[in-house]
Amino acid sequence: MHRYPTWKYILVIIVLVYAVIYSLPNFYNTYPSIIIKTYDNKEVSEETLSNLSQKATLEHKGIADNNIYFETIDDQLSAYNVLIKSKSYNYTLSNYNHIPKWLSIINAQPISLGLDLKGGVHFLLQIDNENVMKARLNKLESNLRNFLIDNGIQYDNALSDINKITFKINQPSINKEIINTLSETFSDYEIVSKEKDDGMIIIANLTEKSISDDVKAAMQKNLTILRSRVNELGVSQPIIQRQGKDRIIVQLPGLQDSTRAKNILGSTATLEFRLTKGTADDWVASQSIGTNTVSESVLYKHKNGSPVLLSRNVITSGKDIEGANSGFDSQTNQPAVFVNLSSIGASNMLETTSKNIGNKMAVVFVEEDKNQVINIATIREAFSKRFQITGLDLQEAKDLAILLRSGSLSAPMSIIEERTVGPSLGTENIISGRDSMLLGLILVIMFMFVYYKKFGVIANIALIVNILIITATLSLFQATLTLSGIAGIVLTVGMAVDANVLIYERVREEILNGNSPNASIIAGYNKAFSTISDANITTLIAAIALLTIGTGVVKGFAVTLVIGILSSMFTAIVGTRALVSLIYENKTNKGLSI
């Protein structure tokens, strides 16, 4: 019999070792857990964790590596709801794996489970295209006004439409050089100048490209900001990805508080710092008569509903905030947000507070059209870069710190789809997926054993190795396994033996044609190769298309399908060939068990 190359045996052994090692973590128990760390992200001792769990009377399974882990997700969520009321630590929903340290060193981790298997919250957010267009139009109008003023051109007014601005010019004509400079300066827009009896008009139109570029830039910034916000929501392994031109998918496995998640994700909030105007009597009088009784002031409402008159001048705002952390006031032990300002913001704050010691300053929470005073404090001394905001409860302080750290969204986004998957439903999905895969695997193994005998056993071994390779690859790259991904694995189970069926039928044909067993094996593998490769390559092309273009469940299915096609081709063509060679090579075979 033709000698099988040694390097292929070595390759098979290497792949087998890889498949076994990186599949191992999935055979160890994984428990839902809560990671507990300090606000400055420092680790907490096991003794502290034990004391904390005893005080909160948690029904936990154990404590290890900054984790308190539990038997079920229901226990985890119940404990999380109790712990977040504590004021001392940060809490993150996660999983604890009982795997040996040597597996962790080589980055061998269990497969990450998707939302439909683990439970959690799913959001589909869409950017407000009209807001993006309006912002671009306002920017264009401001820039055009400045250009006309700089060039000494007088205009009566500017009229804004959906996607264009029209300036009415007083003079009958404009120098051609200025018109050319105007077109060059605003090359992203369509600039048209027309002469009329009573003067000229200049029309600036937004182009589809400029709007598209703005939406793309806003999407990119919003993705970055959403990732920053989600990372601090207390969720491990979140999924945040772009869908189409103007949508973003956010999946938060393990999280069940969808209301808080919505408030954090969709908020465009920022802060403004302003001095108060007048006295408390002036504030009440202004509210009663509906007019500001103090000049250069604006009427606001405190969070408790009372009126407040504030200066029109903003000392500094959210754009000048470089950092924010929630904590507790050292004197009153009340929740507080500690704010760090940029150099410009710090300079403005220092100048204002130096001149207004004894006066009051308000912190205004600004979100779209909603403005609310959340804190009013008397300026006791001058301060600049670092200060604190009080007057909030613990959860408000945490959420405000998250929003200030991540920054305001570049453009508002609305939640157009929301789903919550309970932990019990996720567990049912895992059991259903596992049972369907095992049933398919058993039926295929029985058929191959009965129909192809010893060669069927070889195909079954290759099938099991194929599943190990898929599992190992998903674990190595920490790809998220979803219910549709399990469907892809089940499909791969059938496809994996399909190649072996083609090979074995070819071998049978060669034996019927009178060839020797060894010659039939060689001819069977050689002649079936082109058919197997053609069939798998065409399926692979379709799977890659699904992987590239598809989203959500389609992408989850495509991931396991692509891995499964590649691994099944390897196990069927290379793996089984190596086993057959070990059994029949250099032997005088009178027949084959096929």
Tab-separated table of all heavy atoms in Angstrom, residues 320-351:
chain	number	residue	atom	x	y	z
A	320	ASP	N	-15.974	69.879	29.143
A	320	ASP	CA	-14.720	70.180	29.841
A	320	ASP	C	-14.397	69.165	30.933
A	320	ASP	O	-13.402	69.316	31.641
A	320	ASP	CB	-14.788	71.579	30.468
A	320	ASP	CG	-14.937	72.668	29.418
A	320	ASP	OD1	-14.200	72.620	28.420
A	320	ASP	OD2	-15.813	73.542	29.584
A	321	ILE	N	-15.250	68.152	31.092
A	321	ILE	CA	-15.042	67.156	32.147
A	321	ILE	C	-14.147	66.031	31.620
A	321	ILE	O	-14.451	65.399	30.610
A	321	ILE	CB	-16.385	66.583	32.639
A	321	ILE	CG1	-17.193	67.693	33.322
A	321	ILE	CG2	-16.167	65.420	33.602
A	321	ILE	CD1	-18.586	67.278	33.737
A	322	GLU	N	-13.042	65.806	32.298
A	322	GLU	CA	-12.087	64.771	31.882
A	322	GLU	C	-12.269	63.466	32.637
A	322	GLU	O	-11.861	62.405	32.177
A	322	GLU	CB	-10.643	65.272	32.089
A	322	GLU	CG	-10.221	66.344	31.102
A	322	GLU	CD	-8.751	66.695	31.234
A	322	GLU	OE1	-8.172	66.420	32.309
A	322	GLU	OE2	-8.187	67.243	30.273
A	323	GLY	N	-12.856	63.510	33.797
A	323	GLY	CA	-13.044	62.298	34.584
A	323	GLY	C	-14.098	62.497	35.648
A	323	GLY	O	-14.348	63.620	36.102
A	324	ALA	N	-14.759	61.390	36.034
A	324	ALA	CA	-15.782	61.462	37.073
A	324	ALA	C	-15.904	60.100	37.743
A	324	ALA	O	-15.939	59.075	37.061
A	324	ALA	CB	-17.121	61.891	36.474
A	325	ASN	N	-15.948	60.098	39.065
A	325	ASN	CA	-16.087	58.855	39.823
A	325	ASN	C	-17.099	59.064	40.934
A	325	ASN	O	-17.161	60.142	41.548
A	325	ASN	CB	-14.753	58.432	40.440
A	325	ASN	CG	-13.757	57.991	39.387
A	325	ASN	OD1	-13.899	56.958	38.767
A	325	ASN	ND2	-12.725	58.805	39.179
A	326	SER	N	-17.891	58.045	41.188
A	326	SER	CA	-18.849	58.120	42.291
A	326	SER	C	-18.175	57.648	43.571
A	326	SER	O	-17.264	56.817	43.535
A	326	SER	CB	-20.085	57.271	41.984
A	326	SER	OG	-19.718	55.922	41.765
A	327	GLY	N	-18.619	58.178	44.689
A	327	GLY	CA	-18.062	57.798	45.974
A	327	GLY	C	-18.892	58.407	47.087
A	327	GLY	O	-20.103	58.596	46.925
A	328	PHE	N	-18.230	58.743	48.191
A	328	PHE	CA	-18.959	59.279	49.334
A	328	PHE	C	-18.211	60.470	49.917
A	328	PHE	O	-16.980	60.472	49.991
A	328	PHE	CB	-19.157	58.204	50.409
A	328	PHE	CG	-19.961	57.037	49.927
A	328	PHE	CD1	-19.337	55.937	49.357
A	328	PHE	CD2	-21.341	57.061	50.002
A	328	PHE	CE1	-20.070	54.875	48.885
A	328	PHE	CE2	-22.092	55.990	49.532
A	328	PHE	CZ	-21.454	54.903	48.975
A	329	ASP	N	-18.965	61.472	50.321
A	329	ASP	CA	-18.389	62.653	50.954
A	329	ASP	C	-17.715	62.240	52.262
A	329	ASP	O	-18.318	61.559	53.096
A	329	ASP	CB	-19.514	63.667	51.218
A	329	ASP	CG	-18.970	65.004	51.696
A	329	ASP	OD1	-18.295	65.014	52.747
A	329	ASP	OD2	-19.226	66.022	51.036
A	330	SER	N	-16.474	62.656	52.439
A	330	SER	CA	-15.701	62.243	53.612
A	330	SER	C	-16.280	62.788	54.919
A	330	SER	O	-16.078	62.203	55.984
A	330	SER	CB	-14.239	62.695	53.478
A	330	SER	OG	-14.171	64.099	53.320
A	331	GLN	N	-17.023	63.890	54.851
A	331	GLN	CA	-17.557	64.500	56.069
A	331	GLN	C	-18.972	64.024	56.382
A	331	GLN	O	-19.292	63.681	57.518
A	331	GLN	CB	-17.528	66.025	55.946
A	331	GLN	CG	-16.113	66.601	55.840
A	331	GLN	CD	-16.125	68.114	55.721
A	331	GLN	OE1	-17.167	68.731	55.564
A	331	GLN	NE2	-14.939	68.719	55.808
A	332	THR	N	-19.824	64.004	55.354
A	332	THR	CA	-21.227	63.646	55.585
A	332	THR	C	-21.539	62.192	55.256
A	332	THR	O	-22.611	61.693	55.587
A	332	THR	CB	-22.137	64.540	54.734
A	332	THR	OG1	-21.870	64.291	53.337
A	332	THR	CG2	-21.890	66.010	55.033
A	333	ASN	N	-20.608	61.514	54.554
A	333	ASN	CA	-20.797	60.129	54.109
A	333	ASN	C	-21.993	59.998	53.165
A	333	ASN	O	-22.585	58.926	53.037
A	333	ASN	CB	-20.964	59.184	55.302
A	333	ASN	CG	-20.634	57.743	54.920
A	333	ASN	OD1	-19.766	57.492	54.080
A	333	ASN	ND2	-21.342	56.785	55.499
A	334	GLN	N	-22.353	61.093	52.494
A	334	GLN	CA	-23.422	61.075	51.510
A	334	GLN	C	-22.849	60.757	50.130
A	334	GLN	O	-21.688	61.076	49.841
A	334	GLN	CB	-24.121	62.438	51.466
A	334	GLN	CG	-24.871	62.793	52.741
A	334	GLN	CD	-25.998	61.809	53.028
A	334	GLN	OE1	-26.808	61.507	52.156
A	334	GLN	NE2	-26.034	61.301	54.259
A	335	PRO	N	-23.651	60.114	49.244
A	335	PRO	CA	-23.164	59.820	47.886
A	335	PRO	C	-22.726	61.102	47.172
A	335	PRO	O	-23.354	62.153	47.328
A	335	PRO	CB	-24.377	59.194	47.193
A	335	PRO	CG	-25.205	58.650	48.303
A	335	PRO	CD	-25.004	59.591	49.456
A	336	ALA	N	-21.641	61.000	46.418
A	336	ALA	CA	-21.111	62.176	45.710
A	336	ALA	C	-20.467	61.734	44.402
A	336	ALA	O	-20.118	60.569	44.226
A	336	ALA	CB	-20.088	62.904	46.573
A	337	VAL	N	-20.345	62.680	43.477
A	337	VAL	CA	-19.621	62.465	42.220
A	337	VAL	C	-18.416	63.380	42.226
A	337	VAL	O	-18.555	64.604	42.352
A	337	VAL	CB	-20.511	62.762	40.991
A	337	VAL	CG1	-19.720	62.570	39.703
A	337	VAL	CG2	-21.733	61.859	40.987
A	338	PHE	N	-17.220	62.795	42.125
A	338	PHE	CA	-15.977	63.559	42.116
A	338	PHE	C	-15.587	63.845	40.673
A	338	PHE	O	-15.391	62.919	39.881
A	338	PHE	CB	-14.877	62.787	42.842
A	338	PHE	CG	-15.215	62.500	44.282
A	338	PHE	CD1	-15.811	61.299	44.638
A	338	PHE	CD2	-14.976	63.452	45.261
A	338	PHE	CE1	-16.141	61.039	45.960
A	338	PHE	CE2	-15.301	63.199	46.589
A	338	PHE	CZ	-15.890	61.991	46.943
A	339	VAL	N	-15.487	65.138	40.325
A	339	VAL	CA	-15.311	65.579	38.941
A	339	VAL	C	-13.918	66.168	38.746
A	339	VAL	O	-13.431	66.933	39.588
A	339	VAL	CB	-16.384	66.622	38.566
A	339	VAL	CG1	-16.174	67.125	37.141
A	339	VAL	CG2	-17.779	66.039	38.730
A	340	ASN	N	-13.291	65.813	37.613
A	340	ASN	CA	-12.015	66.414	37.199
A	340	ASN	C	-12.244	67.214	35.918
A	340	ASN	O	-12.809	66.673	34.954
A	340	ASN	CB	-10.958	65.340	36.941
A	340	ASN	CG	-10.469	64.711	38.229
A	340	ASN	OD1	-10.310	65.386	39.227
A	340	ASN	ND2	-10.254	63.402	38.195
A	341	LEU	N	-11.813	68.465	35.888
A	341	LEU	CA	-12.001	69.332	34.725
A	341	LEU	C	-10.729	69.418	33.887
A	341	LEU	O	-9.620	69.191	34.378
A	341	LEU	CB	-12.404	70.733	35.162
A	341	LEU	CG	-13.759	70.894	35.853
A	341	LEU	CD1	-13.970	72.345	36.255
A	341	LEU	CD2	-14.899	70.415	34.964
A	342	SER	N	-10.910	69.775	32.631
A	342	SER	CA	-9.772	70.049	31.750
A	342	SER	C	-9.129	71.368	32.172
A	342	SER	O	-9.663	72.103	33.008
A	342	SER	CB	-10.238	70.122	30.300
A	342	SER	OG	-11.101	71.237	30.121
A	343	SER	N	-7.996	71.706	31.564
A	343	SER	CA	-7.289	72.933	31.933
A	343	SER	C	-8.137	74.167	31.665
A	343	SER	O	-8.158	75.115	32.468
A	343	SER	CB	-5.964	73.025	31.171
A	343	SER	OG	-6.191	72.965	29.771
A	344	ILE	N	-8.866	74.169	30.527
A	344	ILE	CA	-9.720	75.322	30.205
A	344	ILE	C	-10.865	75.434	31.206
A	344	ILE	O	-11.158	76.499	31.738
A	344	ILE	CB	-10.255	75.217	28.772
A	344	ILE	CG1	-9.109	75.259	27.761
A	344	ILE	CG2	-11.267	76.324	28.487
A	344	ILE	CD1	-9.525	75.036	26.318
A	345	GLY	N	-11.523	74.282	31.452
A	345	GLY	CA	-12.631	74.282	32.406
A	345	GLY	C	-12.174	74.666	33.805
A	345	GLY	O	-12.866	75.413	34.521
A	346	ALA	N	-10.987	74.160	34.211
A	346	ALA	CA	-10.456	74.480	35.538
A	346	ALA	C	-10.155	75.969	35.666
A	346	ALA	O	-10.392	76.582	36.714
A	346	ALA	CB	-9.196	73.652	35.797
A	347	SER	N	-9.629	76.588	34.581
A	347	SER	CA	-9.312	78.016	34.590
A	347	SER	C	-10.575	78.849	34.756
A	347	SER	O	-10.611	79.790	35.556
A	347	SER	CB	-8.585	78.378	33.295
A	347	SER	OG	-8.355	79.762	33.224
A	348	ASN	N	-11.633	78.475	34.003
A	348	ASN	CA	-12.906	79.207	34.114
A	348	ASN	C	-13.508	79.040	35.502
A	348	ASN	O	-14.050	79.994	36.085
A	348	ASN	CB	-13.894	78.704	33.060
A	348	ASN	CG	-13.469	79.041	31.655
A	348	ASN	OD1	-12.688	79.967	31.440
A	348	ASN	ND2	-13.978	78.300	30.673
A	349	MET	N	-13.422	77.819	36.050
A	349	MET	CA	-13.992	77.555	37.363
A	349	MET	C	-13.245	78.331	38.445
A	349	MET	O	-13.855	78.914	39.351
A	349	MET	CB	-13.940	76.050	37.653
A	349	MET	CG	-14.619	75.645	38.951
A	349	MET	SD	-16.407	75.962	38.960
A	349	MET	CE	-16.993	74.644	37.892
A	350	LEU	N	-11.926	78.362	38.349
A	350	LEU	CA	-11.115	79.082	39.335
A	350	LEU	C	-11.420	80.578	39.303
A	350	LEU	O	-11.575	81.225	40.356
A	350	LEU	CB	-9.625	78.836	39.076
A	350	LEU	CG	-8.646	79.547	40.013
A	350	LEU	CD1	-8.855	79.098	41.459
A	350	LEU	CD2	-7.206	79.297	39.566
A	351	GLU	N	-11.506	81.139	38.104
A	351	GLU	CA	-11.773	82.573	37.962
A	351	GLU	C	-13.138	82.928	38.545
A	351	GLU	O	-13.289	83.936	39.257
A	351	GLU	CB	-11.713	82.961	36.484
A	351	GLU	CG	-11.946	84.446	36.236
A	351	GLU	CD	-11.915	84.799	34.756
A	351	GLU	OE1	-11.624	83.894	33.918
A	351	GLU	OE2	-12.187	85.968	34.430
